[in-house]
Amino acid sequence: MDNAVDNLALRMETSNLRVAFAGKEVLHGVGVPIVRGRVTAIVGPSGCGKTTFLRTLDRLTDLTPKCRVSGSVMLDGEDCLGTDPILLRRRVGMVFQKPNPFPMSIRENVLYGVKAHGNRRAHHNEIVESSLMKAVLWDEVKDRLDDSALSLSGGQQQRLCIARALATSPEVVLMDEPASSLDPRSTAQLEESITAMRGDFTVVIVTHDVPQARRVSDYLAFLYEGRLVEFGETRRLFENPRESATREYLAGGLVTAVPGGSGGAA
């Protein structure tokens, strides 16, 4: 683990995390610290286990038949693997790869989870405005909150999904390649939203876009073939990686030599 990562500042942490589907292990003892109030990016080639890692953090892997998870996933010192997944998902929100707004108004989309949790109606207007502002969408939709969310552009829909996730005040927000279906302008707006979340929320983003990871993240975890190759501050990994494989991958080249991986943060 980098000296810059203070154990007291961790919001989540995985240790010796192993995930297998139908007996085939896809994550091999991965340990990643997730720092409170910061953005952690998970990068690596397709099929390296990035999305599986992310989905394990809020127990979405429970929905996959014949999936076996071992090791530990801790949230503020509590074992996520031994808790009620419904309660866990109230604390750990998810934004998926493709925008998935509900066929209802912009306002009702933001409040969907809030109402499901029984929050007081008196604060709904404040929650809508605050959440849309944090998602950097308020100025674009403040005069059309009762319009259908399906009338928004793809980029706006994705930021609305972020606002919906933020409305319930989760402790962690997970993002699975949230810009993969967006054009460059919408991607830039999405990145602005992620930047605005820093400090107030702990964000973990999976991305195949290495330059994007460099722009938005504070910490970076490089996975390869289901193993953690290196973890540390984003700037250090780009400027002075400890592993040659990290240097090759972040430079956009072919990874020619991959260490066995310790399963922990380098």
Side-chain angles (χ1 to χ4, degrees), residues 49-117:
K50 301 187 300 295
T51 293
T52 296
F53 175 83
L54 196 74
R55 289 171 68 87
T56 304
L57 298 183
D58 71 348
R59 301 273 298 278
L60 284 178
T61 47
D62 289 13
L63 305 178
T64 303
K66 299 182 179 180
C67 177
R68 181 178 179 275
V69 179
S70 63
S72 69
V73 179
M74 307 298 289
L75 173 60
D76 288 335
E78 299 179 30
D79 179 11
C80 298
L81 300 183
T83 191
D84 182 337
I86 303 301
L87 296 178
L88 174 65
R89 291 170 198 148
R90 291 184 180 181
R91 303 174 65 189
V92 182
M94 172 74 89
V95 177
F96 295 94
Q97 187 170 353
K98 293 182 179 180
N100 60 340
F102 301 137
M104 54 184 66
S105 72
I106 295 168
R107 185 195 313 273
E108 290 304 307
N109 263 271
V110 176
L111 293 174
Y112 186 85
V114 174
K115 290 183 175 181
H117 295 169

Short mmCIF file of all heavy atoms in Angstrom, two decimals, residues 49-117:
data_model
loop_
_atom_site.label_atom_id
_atom_site.label_comp_id
_atom_site.label_asym_id
_atom_site.label_seq_id
_atom_site.Cartn_x
_atom_site.Cartn_y
_atom_site.Cartn_z
N GLY A 49 -11.41 -8.73 -14.81
CA GLY A 49 -12.12 -8.83 -13.55
C GLY A 49 -12.57 -7.51 -12.96
O GLY A 49 -13.05 -7.47 -11.82
N LYS A 50 -12.47 -6.42 -13.72
CA LYS A 50 -12.82 -5.10 -13.19
C LYS A 50 -14.28 -5.02 -12.74
O LYS A 50 -14.58 -4.62 -11.61
CB LYS A 50 -12.58 -4.01 -14.25
CG LYS A 50 -11.16 -3.89 -14.76
CD LYS A 50 -10.98 -2.69 -15.67
CE LYS A 50 -11.86 -2.70 -16.91
NZ LYS A 50 -11.53 -3.79 -17.85
N THR A 51 -15.19 -5.40 -13.64
CA THR A 51 -16.61 -5.31 -13.31
C THR A 51 -16.99 -6.30 -12.22
O THR A 51 -17.80 -5.99 -11.34
CB THR A 51 -17.46 -5.52 -14.57
OG1 THR A 51 -17.25 -4.43 -15.48
CG2 THR A 51 -18.95 -5.60 -14.24
N THR A 52 -16.41 -7.49 -12.24
CA THR A 52 -16.67 -8.46 -11.18
C THR A 52 -16.27 -7.88 -9.83
O THR A 52 -16.99 -8.00 -8.84
CB THR A 52 -15.92 -9.76 -11.44
OG1 THR A 52 -16.43 -10.36 -12.64
CG2 THR A 52 -16.08 -10.74 -10.29
N PHE A 53 -15.10 -7.24 -9.79
CA PHE A 53 -14.65 -6.61 -8.54
C PHE A 53 -15.67 -5.58 -8.08
O PHE A 53 -16.07 -5.56 -6.91
CB PHE A 53 -13.28 -5.95 -8.76
CG PHE A 53 -12.80 -5.17 -7.57
CD1 PHE A 53 -12.16 -5.82 -6.52
CD2 PHE A 53 -12.99 -3.80 -7.49
CE1 PHE A 53 -11.72 -5.11 -5.40
CE2 PHE A 53 -12.56 -3.08 -6.38
CZ PHE A 53 -11.92 -3.74 -5.33
N LEU A 54 -16.11 -4.72 -8.99
CA LEU A 54 -17.04 -3.66 -8.63
C LEU A 54 -18.36 -4.22 -8.11
O LEU A 54 -18.89 -3.78 -7.09
CB LEU A 54 -17.29 -2.76 -9.84
CG LEU A 54 -17.93 -1.41 -9.55
CD1 LEU A 54 -16.91 -0.48 -8.91
CD2 LEU A 54 -18.49 -0.78 -10.82
N ARG A 55 -18.88 -5.23 -8.80
CA ARG A 55 -20.17 -5.80 -8.43
C ARG A 55 -20.10 -6.56 -7.10
O ARG A 55 -21.12 -6.71 -6.42
CB ARG A 55 -20.67 -6.73 -9.54
CG ARG A 55 -21.09 -5.99 -10.80
CD ARG A 55 -21.36 -6.95 -11.95
NE ARG A 55 -22.53 -7.77 -11.69
CZ ARG A 55 -23.77 -7.43 -11.99
NH1 ARG A 55 -24.02 -6.26 -12.56
NH2 ARG A 55 -24.78 -8.24 -11.74
N THR A 56 -18.92 -6.97 -6.73
CA THR A 56 -18.76 -7.65 -5.44
C THR A 56 -18.90 -6.66 -4.29
O THR A 56 -19.34 -7.03 -3.19
CB THR A 56 -17.39 -8.35 -5.36
OG1 THR A 56 -17.26 -9.25 -6.46
CG2 THR A 56 -17.24 -9.14 -4.07
N LEU A 57 -18.57 -5.39 -4.53
CA LEU A 57 -18.59 -4.40 -3.47
C LEU A 57 -19.99 -4.14 -2.93
O LEU A 57 -20.15 -3.75 -1.77
CB LEU A 57 -17.97 -3.09 -3.94
CG LEU A 57 -16.48 -3.14 -4.34
CD1 LEU A 57 -15.99 -1.75 -4.72
CD2 LEU A 57 -15.61 -3.75 -3.26
N ASP A 58 -21.02 -4.32 -3.76
CA ASP A 58 -22.38 -4.16 -3.24
C ASP A 58 -23.21 -5.44 -3.40
O ASP A 58 -24.43 -5.41 -3.42
CB ASP A 58 -23.10 -2.96 -3.87
CG ASP A 58 -23.45 -3.18 -5.33
OD1 ASP A 58 -22.96 -4.15 -5.93
OD2 ASP A 58 -24.25 -2.39 -5.86
N ARG A 59 -22.50 -6.54 -3.52
CA ARG A 59 -23.12 -7.88 -3.50
C ARG A 59 -24.02 -8.15 -4.71
O ARG A 59 -24.89 -9.02 -4.66
CB ARG A 59 -23.91 -8.08 -2.21
CG ARG A 59 -23.11 -7.95 -0.92
CD ARG A 59 -22.46 -9.25 -0.53
NE ARG A 59 -23.44 -10.29 -0.27
CZ ARG A 59 -24.10 -10.42 0.89
NH1 ARG A 59 -23.86 -9.58 1.90
NH2 ARG A 59 -24.98 -11.39 1.06
N LEU A 60 -23.82 -7.46 -5.83
CA LEU A 60 -24.59 -7.79 -7.02
C LEU A 60 -24.20 -9.16 -7.57
O LEU A 60 -24.96 -9.79 -8.31
CB LEU A 60 -24.40 -6.71 -8.10
CG LEU A 60 -25.17 -5.41 -7.88
CD1 LEU A 60 -24.85 -4.41 -8.98
CD2 LEU A 60 -26.67 -5.65 -7.80
N THR A 61 -23.02 -9.64 -7.19
CA THR A 61 -22.62 -10.99 -7.59
C THR A 61 -23.54 -12.04 -6.97
O THR A 61 -23.61 -13.17 -7.49
CB THR A 61 -21.17 -11.27 -7.15
OG1 THR A 61 -21.00 -10.85 -5.79
CG2 THR A 61 -20.17 -10.51 -8.03
N ASP A 62 -24.26 -11.68 -5.92
CA ASP A 62 -25.21 -12.62 -5.32
C ASP A 62 -26.29 -13.03 -6.30
O ASP A 62 -26.91 -14.09 -6.17
CB ASP A 62 -25.90 -11.99 -4.10
CG ASP A 62 -24.97 -11.84 -2.91
OD1 ASP A 62 -23.75 -11.98 -3.09
OD2 ASP A 62 -25.46 -11.57 -1.81
N LEU A 63 -26.54 -12.17 -7.30
CA LEU A 63 -27.62 -12.41 -8.26
C LEU A 63 -27.19 -13.36 -9.37
O LEU A 63 -28.01 -13.74 -10.20
CB LEU A 63 -28.09 -11.08 -8.86
CG LEU A 63 -28.51 -10.01 -7.85
CD1 LEU A 63 -28.90 -8.73 -8.58
CD2 LEU A 63 -29.66 -10.50 -6.99
N THR A 64 -25.91 -13.73 -9.41
CA THR A 64 -25.40 -14.62 -10.44
C THR A 64 -25.35 -16.04 -9.92
O THR A 64 -24.70 -16.31 -8.90
CB THR A 64 -23.98 -14.19 -10.88
OG1 THR A 64 -24.01 -12.83 -11.32
CG2 THR A 64 -23.47 -15.08 -12.00
N PRO A 65 -26.04 -16.98 -10.59
CA PRO A 65 -26.01 -18.38 -10.13
C PRO A 65 -24.59 -18.95 -10.12
O PRO A 65 -23.75 -18.59 -10.95
CB PRO A 65 -26.89 -19.10 -11.17
CG PRO A 65 -27.73 -18.03 -11.77
CD PRO A 65 -26.89 -16.79 -11.78
N LYS A 66 -24.32 -19.81 -9.17
CA LYS A 66 -23.05 -20.52 -9.06
C LYS A 66 -21.86 -19.57 -8.89
O LYS A 66 -20.75 -19.86 -9.35
CB LYS A 66 -22.82 -21.44 -10.25
CG LYS A 66 -23.88 -22.54 -10.39
CD LYS A 66 -23.57 -23.45 -11.56
CE LYS A 66 -24.63 -24.55 -11.68
NZ LYS A 66 -24.35 -25.47 -12.81
N CYS A 67 -22.12 -18.43 -8.25
CA CYS A 67 -21.03 -17.50 -7.94
C CYS A 67 -20.59 -17.71 -6.50
O CYS A 67 -21.43 -17.73 -5.59
CB CYS A 67 -21.47 -16.06 -8.15
SG CYS A 67 -20.21 -14.85 -7.70
N ARG A 68 -19.29 -17.85 -6.30
CA ARG A 68 -18.74 -18.06 -4.96
C ARG A 68 -17.75 -16.94 -4.65
O ARG A 68 -16.84 -16.68 -5.44
CB ARG A 68 -18.05 -19.42 -4.86
CG ARG A 68 -17.48 -19.73 -3.48
CD ARG A 68 -16.86 -21.12 -3.44
NE ARG A 68 -16.29 -21.40 -2.14
CZ ARG A 68 -15.06 -21.04 -1.77
NH1 ARG A 68 -14.29 -20.39 -2.62
NH2 ARG A 68 -14.61 -21.33 -0.56
N VAL A 69 -17.95 -16.30 -3.50
CA VAL A 69 -17.09 -15.19 -3.08
C VAL A 69 -16.46 -15.53 -1.75
O VAL A 69 -17.14 -15.99 -0.82
CB VAL A 69 -17.91 -13.88 -2.95
CG1 VAL A 69 -17.01 -12.74 -2.49
CG2 VAL A 69 -18.58 -13.54 -4.27
N SER A 70 -15.16 -15.30 -1.63
CA SER A 70 -14.47 -15.48 -0.36
C SER A 70 -13.50 -14.34 -0.14
O SER A 70 -13.24 -13.54 -1.04
CB SER A 70 -13.73 -16.83 -0.32
OG SER A 70 -12.71 -16.87 -1.30
N GLY A 71 -12.93 -14.28 1.06
CA GLY A 71 -12.10 -13.13 1.43
C GLY A 71 -12.95 -12.15 2.20
O GLY A 71 -13.94 -12.54 2.85
N SER A 72 -12.61 -10.88 2.15
CA SER A 72 -13.40 -9.90 2.90
C SER A 72 -13.59 -8.62 2.09
O SER A 72 -12.74 -8.22 1.30
CB SER A 72 -12.73 -9.56 4.24
OG SER A 72 -11.53 -8.85 4.03
N VAL A 73 -14.77 -8.02 2.31
CA VAL A 73 -15.09 -6.69 1.80
C VAL A 73 -15.60 -5.91 3.00
O VAL A 73 -16.65 -6.23 3.55
CB VAL A 73 -16.17 -6.73 0.70
CG1 VAL A 73 -16.48 -5.31 0.23
CG2 VAL A 73 -15.72 -7.59 -0.47
N MET A 74 -14.84 -4.92 3.43
CA MET A 74 -15.18 -4.17 4.63
C MET A 74 -15.67 -2.77 4.27
O MET A 74 -15.11 -2.11 3.39
CB MET A 74 -13.97 -4.06 5.56
CG MET A 74 -13.31 -5.39 5.90
SD MET A 74 -14.41 -6.53 6.78
CE MET A 74 -14.52 -5.71 8.38
N LEU A 75 -16.73 -2.33 4.94
CA LEU A 75 -17.26 -0.97 4.80
C LEU A 75 -17.30 -0.36 6.19
O LEU A 75 -18.07 -0.81 7.05
CB LEU A 75 -18.66 -1.01 4.18
CG LEU A 75 -19.42 0.32 4.13
CD1 LEU A 75 -18.65 1.36 3.31
CD2 LEU A 75 -20.82 0.12 3.55
N ASP A 76 -16.46 0.62 6.43
CA ASP A 76 -16.35 1.24 7.75
C ASP A 76 -16.18 0.19 8.85
O ASP A 76 -16.79 0.27 9.91
CB ASP A 76 -17.57 2.10 8.04
CG ASP A 76 -17.59 3.38 7.21
OD1 ASP A 76 -16.51 3.83 6.79
OD2 ASP A 76 -18.68 3.92 6.98
N GLY A 77 -15.35 -0.82 8.55
CA GLY A 77 -15.05 -1.84 9.54
C GLY A 77 -16.07 -2.95 9.65
O GLY A 77 -15.88 -3.89 10.44
N GLU A 78 -17.15 -2.90 8.86
CA GLU A 78 -18.17 -3.93 8.90
C GLU A 78 -18.00 -4.88 7.71
O GLU A 78 -17.67 -4.45 6.60
CB GLU A 78 -19.57 -3.31 8.86
CG GLU A 78 -19.87 -2.40 10.04
CD GLU A 78 -21.25 -1.78 9.94
OE1 GLU A 78 -22.15 -2.42 9.36
OE2 GLU A 78 -21.42 -0.65 10.42
N ASP A 79 -18.27 -6.14 7.93
CA ASP A 79 -18.12 -7.17 6.89
C ASP A 79 -19.32 -7.13 5.94
O ASP A 79 -20.43 -7.51 6.32
CB ASP A 79 -18.01 -8.55 7.54
CG ASP A 79 -17.86 -9.67 6.53
OD1 ASP A 79 -17.65 -9.37 5.33
OD2 ASP A 79 -17.96 -10.84 6.93
N CYS A 80 -19.09 -6.67 4.70
CA CYS A 80 -20.17 -6.58 3.72
C CYS A 80 -20.68 -7.94 3.28
O CYS A 80 -21.85 -8.09 2.90
CB CYS A 80 -19.71 -5.81 2.49
SG CYS A 80 -19.22 -4.11 2.82
N LEU A 81 -19.82 -8.95 3.30
CA LEU A 81 -20.21 -10.26 2.82
C LEU A 81 -21.13 -10.97 3.80
O LEU A 81 -21.78 -11.96 3.44
CB LEU A 81 -18.97 -11.12 2.54
CG LEU A 81 -18.00 -10.56 1.49
CD1 LEU A 81 -16.85 -11.53 1.26
CD2 LEU A 81 -18.72 -10.27 0.17
N GLY A 82 -21.19 -10.48 5.04
CA GLY A 82 -22.03 -11.12 6.04
C GLY A 82 -23.24 -10.30 6.43
O GLY A 82 -23.94 -10.64 7.38
N THR A 83 -23.51 -9.22 5.67
CA THR A 83 -24.63 -8.34 6.02
C THR A 83 -25.77 -8.54 5.04
O THR A 83 -25.63 -9.20 4.00
CB THR A 83 -24.18 -6.87 6.03
OG1 THR A 83 -25.20 -6.06 6.62
CG2 THR A 83 -23.92 -6.37 4.61
N ASP A 84 -26.91 -7.95 5.33
CA ASP A 84 -28.07 -7.99 4.44
C ASP A 84 -27.75 -7.18 3.18
O ASP A 84 -27.47 -5.98 3.27
CB ASP A 84 -29.28 -7.38 5.17
CG ASP A 84 -30.56 -7.43 4.35
OD1 ASP A 84 -30.49 -7.52 3.12
OD2 ASP A 84 -31.64 -7.37 4.95
N PRO A 85 -27.79 -7.80 1.99
CA PRO A 85 -27.42 -7.07 0.78
C PRO A 85 -28.33 -5.89 0.48
O PRO A 85 -27.90 -4.90 -0.11
CB PRO A 85 -27.51 -8.14 -0.31
CG PRO A 85 -28.35 -9.23 0.24
CD PRO A 85 -28.10 -9.21 1.71
N ILE A 86 -29.60 -5.96 0.89
CA ILE A 86 -30.52 -4.84 0.67
C ILE A 86 -30.07 -3.63 1.49
O ILE A 86 -30.04 -2.50 0.99
CB ILE A 86 -31.96 -5.23 1.04
CG1 ILE A 86 -32.41 -6.45 0.23
CG2 ILE A 86 -32.89 -4.04 0.82
CD1 ILE A 86 -32.38 -6.24 -1.26
N LEU A 87 -29.71 -3.87 2.74
CA LEU A 87 -29.23 -2.78 3.58
C LEU A 87 -27.89 -2.25 3.06
O LEU A 87 -27.63 -1.04 3.10
CB LEU A 87 -29.08 -3.25 5.03
CG LEU A 87 -30.37 -3.66 5.73
CD1 LEU A 87 -30.07 -4.15 7.15
CD2 LEU A 87 -31.36 -2.50 5.77
N LEU A 88 -27.05 -3.14 2.56
CA LEU A 88 -25.76 -2.73 2.01
C LEU A 88 -25.95 -1.79 0.83
O LEU A 88 -25.25 -0.79 0.69
CB LEU A 88 -24.95 -3.96 1.59
CG LEU A 88 -23.63 -3.69 0.88
CD1 LEU A 88 -22.64 -2.98 1.81
CD2 LEU A 88 -23.02 -4.99 0.35
N ARG A 89 -26.90 -2.12 -0.05
CA ARG A 89 -27.10 -1.31 -1.25
C ARG A 89 -27.70 0.05 -0.96
O ARG A 89 -27.69 0.92 -1.83
CB ARG A 89 -27.94 -2.10 -2.26
CG ARG A 89 -27.17 -3.28 -2.85
CD ARG A 89 -28.03 -4.21 -3.65
NE ARG A 89 -27.35 -5.51 -3.80
CZ ARG A 89 -27.97 -6.67 -3.87
NH1 ARG A 89 -29.29 -6.72 -3.85
NH2 ARG A 89 -27.27 -7.78 -3.99
N ARG A 90 -28.21 0.25 0.25
CA ARG A 90 -28.62 1.59 0.66
C ARG A 90 -27.40 2.45 0.97
O ARG A 90 -27.47 3.68 0.92
CB ARG A 90 -29.53 1.52 1.89
CG ARG A 90 -30.89 0.90 1.61
CD ARG A 90 -31.77 0.95 2.84
NE ARG A 90 -33.08 0.36 2.59
CZ ARG A 90 -34.05 0.28 3.48
NH1 ARG A 90 -33.85 0.76 4.71
NH2 ARG A 90 -35.21 -0.27 3.18
N ARG A 91 -26.31 1.80 1.31
CA ARG A 91 -25.08 2.51 1.66
C ARG A 91 -24.10 2.59 0.49
O ARG A 91 -23.21 3.45 0.49
CB ARG A 91 -24.40 1.81 2.84
CG ARG A 91 -25.28 1.69 4.08
CD ARG A 91 -24.61 0.85 5.16
NE ARG A 91 -23.40 1.48 5.67
CZ ARG A 91 -22.55 0.89 6.50
NH1 ARG A 91 -22.80 -0.36 6.90
NH2 ARG A 91 -21.48 1.52 6.92
N VAL A 92 -24.28 1.69 -0.47
CA VAL A 92 -23.38 1.63 -1.62
C VAL A 92 -24.22 1.69 -2.89
O VAL A 92 -24.89 0.72 -3.26
CB VAL A 92 -22.54 0.33 -1.61
CG1 VAL A 92 -21.58 0.31 -2.79
CG2 VAL A 92 -21.77 0.20 -0.29
N GLY A 93 -24.21 2.85 -3.56
CA GLY A 93 -25.01 3.03 -4.77
C GLY A 93 -24.25 2.59 -6.01
O GLY A 93 -23.03 2.46 -6.00
N MET A 94 -25.00 2.39 -7.10
CA MET A 94 -24.38 1.91 -8.35
C MET A 94 -24.91 2.70 -9.53
O MET A 94 -26.12 2.94 -9.64
CB MET A 94 -24.67 0.42 -8.53
CG MET A 94 -24.25 -0.15 -9.87
SD MET A 94 -22.46 -0.38 -10.06
CE MET A 94 -22.26 -2.05 -9.42
N VAL A 95 -24.00 3.10 -10.41
CA VAL A 95 -24.34 3.70 -11.70
C VAL A 95 -23.82 2.75 -12.77
O VAL A 95 -22.63 2.45 -12.81
CB VAL A 95 -23.72 5.10 -11.87
CG1 VAL A 95 -24.03 5.66 -13.25
CG2 VAL A 95 -24.23 6.04 -10.78
N PHE A 96 -24.71 2.29 -13.63
CA PHE A 96 -24.35 1.24 -14.57
C PHE A 96 -23.79 1.80 -15.87
O PHE A 96 -23.78 3.01 -16.11
CB PHE A 96 -25.57 0.35 -14.83
CG PHE A 96 -26.02 -0.42 -13.63
CD1 PHE A 96 -27.01 0.09 -12.80
CD2 PHE A 96 -25.43 -1.63 -13.29
CE1 PHE A 96 -27.42 -0.61 -11.67
CE2 PHE A 96 -25.82 -2.32 -12.16
CZ PHE A 96 -26.83 -1.82 -11.35
N GLN A 97 -23.35 0.88 -16.72
CA GLN A 97 -22.67 1.24 -17.96
C GLN A 97 -23.58 2.04 -18.89
O GLN A 97 -23.16 3.04 -19.47
CB GLN A 97 -22.20 -0.04 -18.67
CG GLN A 97 -21.33 0.20 -19.88
CD GLN A 97 -20.71 -1.10 -20.37
OE1 GLN A 97 -20.83 -2.13 -19.75
NE2 GLN A 97 -20.05 -1.04 -21.50
N LYS A 98 -24.82 1.62 -19.04
CA LYS A 98 -25.77 2.33 -19.89
C LYS A 98 -26.76 3.08 -19.01
O LYS A 98 -27.22 2.55 -17.99
CB LYS A 98 -26.51 1.35 -20.81
CG LYS A 98 -25.61 0.68 -21.84
CD LYS A 98 -26.41 -0.23 -22.75
CE LYS A 98 -25.52 -0.87 -23.81
NZ LYS A 98 -26.29 -1.78 -24.71
N PRO A 99 -27.13 4.30 -19.39
CA PRO A 99 -28.12 5.04 -18.61
C PRO A 99 -29.42 4.24 -18.50
O PRO A 99 -29.88 3.65 -19.48
CB PRO A 99 -28.34 6.32 -19.44
CG PRO A 99 -27.12 6.44 -20.30
CD PRO A 99 -26.67 5.04 -20.58
N ASN A 100 -30.00 4.22 -17.31
CA ASN A 100 -31.24 3.46 -17.11
C ASN A 100 -32.27 4.27 -16.31
O ASN A 100 -32.73 3.85 -15.25
CB ASN A 100 -30.95 2.13 -16.39
CG ASN A 100 -30.31 2.31 -15.03
OD1 ASN A 100 -29.74 3.36 -14.73
ND2 ASN A 100 -30.42 1.30 -14.17
N PRO A 101 -32.64 5.46 -16.86
CA PRO A 101 -33.68 6.24 -16.16
C PRO A 101 -35.01 5.51 -16.21
O PRO A 101 -35.29 4.74 -17.14
CB PRO A 101 -33.72 7.54 -16.96
CG PRO A 101 -33.28 7.16 -18.33
CD PRO A 101 -32.23 6.10 -18.11
N PHE A 102 -35.84 5.74 -15.20
CA PHE A 102 -37.17 5.14 -15.16
C PHE A 102 -38.13 5.97 -16.02
O PHE A 102 -37.94 7.19 -16.17
CB PHE A 102 -37.67 5.06 -13.72
CG PHE A 102 -36.78 4.26 -12.83
CD1 PHE A 102 -36.47 4.70 -11.55
CD2 PHE A 102 -36.23 3.05 -13.26
CE1 PHE A 102 -35.65 3.96 -10.72
CE2 PHE A 102 -35.41 2.30 -12.43
CZ PHE A 102 -35.12 2.75 -11.16
N PRO A 103 -39.16 5.36 -16.58
CA PRO A 103 -40.12 6.10 -17.42
C PRO A 103 -41.06 6.95 -16.58
O PRO A 103 -42.26 6.69 -16.48
CB PRO A 103 -40.86 4.97 -18.16
CG PRO A 103 -40.78 3.80 -17.24
CD PRO A 103 -39.44 3.91 -16.56
N MET A 104 -40.49 7.96 -15.98
CA MET A 104 -41.25 8.90 -15.14
C MET A 104 -40.53 10.23 -15.22
O MET A 104 -39.56 10.38 -15.95
CB MET A 104 -41.34 8.39 -13.69
CG MET A 104 -40.00 8.06 -13.07
SD MET A 104 -40.10 7.36 -11.37
CE MET A 104 -40.91 5.80 -11.68
N SER A 105 -41.01 11.21 -14.49
CA SER A 105 -40.42 12.55 -14.59
C SER A 105 -39.00 12.59 -14.04
O SER A 105 -38.57 11.70 -13.29
CB SER A 105 -41.29 13.56 -13.83
OG SER A 105 -41.17 13.37 -12.44
N ILE A 106 -38.30 13.67 -14.39
CA ILE A 106 -36.96 13.89 -13.88
C ILE A 106 -36.99 13.94 -12.35
O ILE A 106 -36.19 13.30 -11.67
CB ILE A 106 -36.38 15.19 -14.45
CG1 ILE A 106 -36.19 15.08 -15.97
CG2 ILE A 106 -35.05 15.55 -13.77
CD1 ILE A 106 -35.91 16.40 -16.66
N ARG A 107 -37.95 14.67 -11.81
CA ARG A 107 -38.08 14.80 -10.36
C ARG A 107 -38.30 13.43 -9.70
O ARG A 107 -37.65 13.09 -8.72
CB ARG A 107 -39.26 15.71 -10.04
CG ARG A 107 -39.43 16.01 -8.56
CD ARG A 107 -40.80 16.61 -8.27
NE ARG A 107 -41.14 17.66 -9.19
CZ ARG A 107 -40.81 18.94 -9.03
NH1 ARG A 107 -40.10 19.31 -7.98
NH2 ARG A 107 -41.18 19.86 -9.92
N GLU A 108 -39.23 12.65 -10.25
CA GLU A 108 -39.55 11.36 -9.66
C GLU A 108 -38.40 10.37 -9.78
O GLU A 108 -38.24 9.50 -8.93
CB GLU A 108 -40.83 10.80 -10.28
CG GLU A 108 -42.09 11.57 -9.90
CD GLU A 108 -42.27 11.65 -8.38
OE1 GLU A 108 -42.24 10.60 -7.72
OE2 GLU A 108 -42.42 12.79 -7.87
N ASN A 109 -37.59 10.51 -10.83
CA ASN A 109 -36.40 9.66 -10.94
C ASN A 109 -35.46 9.92 -9.78
O ASN A 109 -34.96 8.99 -9.15
CB ASN A 109 -35.70 9.91 -12.27
CG ASN A 109 -36.05 8.91 -13.33
OD1 ASN A 109 -35.40 7.86 -13.48
ND2 ASN A 109 -37.10 9.20 -14.09
N VAL A 110 -35.20 11.20 -9.50
CA VAL A 110 -34.29 11.55 -8.42
C VAL A 110 -34.81 11.03 -7.08
O VAL A 110 -34.05 10.53 -6.25
CB VAL A 110 -34.06 13.07 -8.36
CG1 VAL A 110 -33.18 13.43 -7.16
CG2 VAL A 110 -33.43 13.58 -9.65
N LEU A 111 -36.13 11.12 -6.89
CA LEU A 111 -36.72 10.79 -5.60
C LEU A 111 -37.09 9.32 -5.45
O LEU A 111 -37.59 8.92 -4.39
CB LEU A 111 -37.99 11.64 -5.39
CG LEU A 111 -37.76 13.14 -5.22
CD1 LEU A 111 -39.11 13.86 -5.16
CD2 LEU A 111 -36.93 13.44 -3.98
N TYR A 112 -36.83 8.52 -6.46
CA TYR A 112 -37.30 7.13 -6.44
C TYR A 112 -36.79 6.39 -5.19
O TYR A 112 -37.56 5.79 -4.44
CB TYR A 112 -36.86 6.42 -7.71
CG TYR A 112 -37.42 5.02 -7.83
CD1 TYR A 112 -38.67 4.81 -8.37
CD2 TYR A 112 -36.70 3.91 -7.39
CE1 TYR A 112 -39.21 3.53 -8.48
CE2 TYR A 112 -37.23 2.63 -7.48
CZ TYR A 112 -38.48 2.45 -8.03
OH TYR A 112 -39.01 1.19 -8.12
N GLY A 113 -35.48 6.40 -5.00
CA GLY A 113 -34.91 5.70 -3.85
C GLY A 113 -35.25 6.37 -2.54
O GLY A 113 -35.43 5.71 -1.51
N VAL A 114 -35.34 7.70 -2.57
CA VAL A 114 -35.68 8.45 -1.35
C VAL A 114 -37.05 8.03 -0.83
O VAL A 114 -37.23 7.76 0.36
CB VAL A 114 -35.66 9.97 -1.65
CG1 VAL A 114 -36.15 10.76 -0.45
CG2 VAL A 114 -34.25 10.41 -2.04
N LYS A 115 -38.03 7.95 -1.74
CA LYS A 115 -39.38 7.55 -1.33
C LYS A 115 -39.41 6.10 -0.88
O LYS A 115 -40.12 5.75 0.06
CB LYS A 115 -40.34 7.79 -2.49
CG LYS A 115 -40.60 9.25 -2.79
CD LYS A 115 -41.61 9.43 -3.90
CE LYS A 115 -41.94 10.91 -4.11
NZ LYS A 115 -42.95 11.10 -5.19
N ALA A 116 -38.62 5.27 -1.54
CA ALA A 116 -38.58 3.86 -1.16
C ALA A 116 -38.05 3.68 0.26
O ALA A 116 -38.44 2.75 0.98
CB ALA A 116 -37.71 3.07 -2.14
N HIS A 117 -37.18 4.62 0.68
CA HIS A 117 -36.62 4.56 2.03
C HIS A 117 -37.49 5.29 3.05
O HIS A 117 -37.14 5.33 4.24
CB HIS A 117 -35.22 5.17 2.04
CG HIS A 117 -34.24 4.40 1.21
ND1 HIS A 117 -32.98 4.89 0.91
CD2 HIS A 117 -34.32 3.18 0.62
CE1 HIS A 117 -32.34 4.00 0.17
NE2 HIS A 117 -33.14 2.97 -0.02
#
